[in-house]
Amino acid sequence: MAFFVQKKDFCVNHELAKLQEKSSNIGAIVTFTGCVRGSVNGQLLSEMFLEYYPGMTEAELERIENEATKLWSLQAIVIIHRYGKLQPGDRIVMVATASVDRCSAFEASQFIMDNVKKRATFWKKESFTNGESCWVDNREQDFRRLQR
Amino acid sequence: MAFFVQKKDFCVNHELAKLQEKSSNIGAIVTFTGCVRGSVNGQLLSEMFLEYYPGMTEAELERIENEATKLWSLQAIVIIHRYGKLQPGDRIVMVATASVDRCSAFEASQFIMDNVKKRATFWKKESFTNGESCWVDNREQDFRRLQR
Amino acid sequence: MHTVKLLFFASLREALGRSEEIVEIPKGVNTVADLLSWQCQRNLKYQRAFSADKQIQAAINNQHVSSNALIIYADEIALFPPVTGG
Amino acid sequence: MHTVKLLFFASLREALGRSEEIVEIPKGVNTVADLLSWQCQRNLKYQRAFSADKQIQAAINNQHVSSNALIIYADEIALFPPVTGG
């Protein structure tokens, strides 16, 4: 079980290798990688800024990992989430789960990602090539208001 | 959409990079990696041999990919499955799916893996450190018989 | 007197122009909901920053807390818009 | 005469000691099921290799086919135990 909140990018190969060192009986590894999209609602993105709440964020990621290990038999988990300035195409987050069987690895990975999205204290601010920028939460609300 | 049946190992980083070249608007990439386990039913594995049916295997992987692209909006898929002699810990198969959203990437990846398992014409023969070896299908039947 | 350090994040931090603030919690402000409505009454900037549609949430001791959570024992309370990580 | 090339894979190939065989399909052997039971009657080795618990499956033109599929137009039929890839 490991989690990292960091500015720098990460190497998926390296993380998978570290995961496999944890147990010789891993049969399935699922990774989810979230990336900065090139455009949002048709608007070209120039940059994403990620803010986080030091202390609580790490505590929340740990709680999520603990919950996952109680629900599935997992041999290893790693969560890496970046903060600071990111460019389109950059990796934002990776969740990797390793298990003897495929279903546990898939279900745990989805559980962890859903909870990282709902509970991990990160906030995204998107800047667009047209000079505009806004916090994703506002955009979501605006987006929902537009759809009504 | 790409699929490879090959003897040699593959590099997950390299495959992810190729996937991201396919579209600038990828938000989520899910990879499933299946590996040779160290032991099976408590027996230490020494080697796995994978046989496949050239021609039909590739055709079946292509059919599975086509079905996935009809069911989910995916920007890229890659399936890599190895054959020949593999050691414990070696990668056997990788399925990677890229989409704008997380759910499509996850669901498509599971769909593809389930179908690769049920339909792709590969057969595994496991050799154990105690000198025994058997085809996985027989082991499955023996295993099920044991459990009755 | 109940002195509390408030931490502000993301769009709330930008709207208020500050990332933290030490405040004296007035009598009768016992829950997170009380705290948010008190913030609204402070001035126009706070009123807009804490308006209902902003869905401001709180955390105490590195844990999410609901709006009816008691704040009377907290010495630090984080306030922020809905999280958008992952 | 209906000549067919049979391909054998995995444990079936090992049980029969060969990976393929050209056979003349006798009259009345019209479906995959007919083909499997004909194989069983050939000799003891074939009978064991094609016994029901082996769950031998077939493919024609690179497609899985069910046991009641017609084989009368096939010039190549693959026969194999359940697949165990992935």
Side-chain angles (χ1 to χ4, degrees), chain C residues 69-86:
Chain C
L70 285 179
I71 63 165
I72 44 181
Y73 306 110
D75 43 30
E76 184 180 276
I77 303 172
L79 297 171
F80 44 82
V83 298
T84 54

Side-chain angles (χ1 to χ4, degrees), chain B residues 40 43-46 126-134 139:
Chain B
V40 175
Q43 290 266 13
L44 278 178
L45 213 80
S46 57
E126 289 168 338
S127 306
F128 299 93
T129 50
N130 64 6
E132 281 174 26
S133 70
C134 72
R139 174 174 57 80

Side-chain angles (χ1 to χ4, degrees), chain D residues 31-51:
Chain D
T31 68
V32 167
D34 298 339
L35 175 64
L36 296 181
S37 42
W38 171 47
Q39 295 297 315
C40 277
Q41 291 142 26
R42 291 181 62 183
N43 59 44
L44 192 60
K45 183 168 71 170
Y46 275 68
Q47 192 199 334
R48 271 204 214 101
F50 284 92
S51 58

Side-chain angles (χ1 to χ4, degrees), chain B residues 15-27:
Chain B
E15 295 306 326
L16 290 177
K18 277 198 308 183
L19 222 60
Q20 282 199 278
E21 280 157 21
K22 298 260 169 69
S23 153
S24 65
N25 209 18
I26 289 175

Side-chain angles (χ1 to χ4, degrees), chain A residues 4-10 34-36 48-52 57 61 79-87 89-94 122-124, chain C residues 85-86:
Chain A
F4 305 94
V5 179
Q6 62 189 46
K7 257 194 178 171
K8 59 180 170 52
D9 195 6
F10 47 84
C35 316
V36 180
M48 173 184 280
F49 172 71
L50 267 139
E51 184 173 332
Y52 82 109
T57 306
L61 293 181
I79 305 174
I80 304 175
H81 202 302
R82 296 175 68 189
Y83 65 90
K85 285 187 181 164
L86 298 179
Q87 307 307 317
D90 279 0
R91 278 179 278 271
I92 303 169
V93 59
M94 183 182 87
F122 290 99
W123 298 272
K124 290 178 185 155

Side-chain angles (χ1 to χ4, degrees), chain D residues 9-66:
Chain D
F9 288 95
S11 47
L12 180 61
R13 170 179 56 75
E14 271 184 10
L16 300 178
R18 57 196 321 171
S19 57
E20 58 183 65
E21 186 183 5
I22 310 285
V23 291
E24 304 302 332
I25 302 286
K27 275 235 170 312
V29 175
N30 300 319
T31 68
V32 167
D34 298 339
L35 175 64
L36 296 181
S37 42
W38 171 47
Q39 295 297 315
C40 277
Q41 291 142 26
R42 291 181 62 183
N43 59 44
L44 192 60
K45 183 168 71 170
Y46 275 68
Q47 192 199 334
R48 271 204 214 101
F50 284 92
S51 58
D53 70 305
K54 299 297 187 304
Q55 302 178 308
I56 298 303
Q57 299 167 0
I60 297 175
N61 298 332
N62 286 342
Q63 300 247 20
H64 288 284
V65 290
S66 62

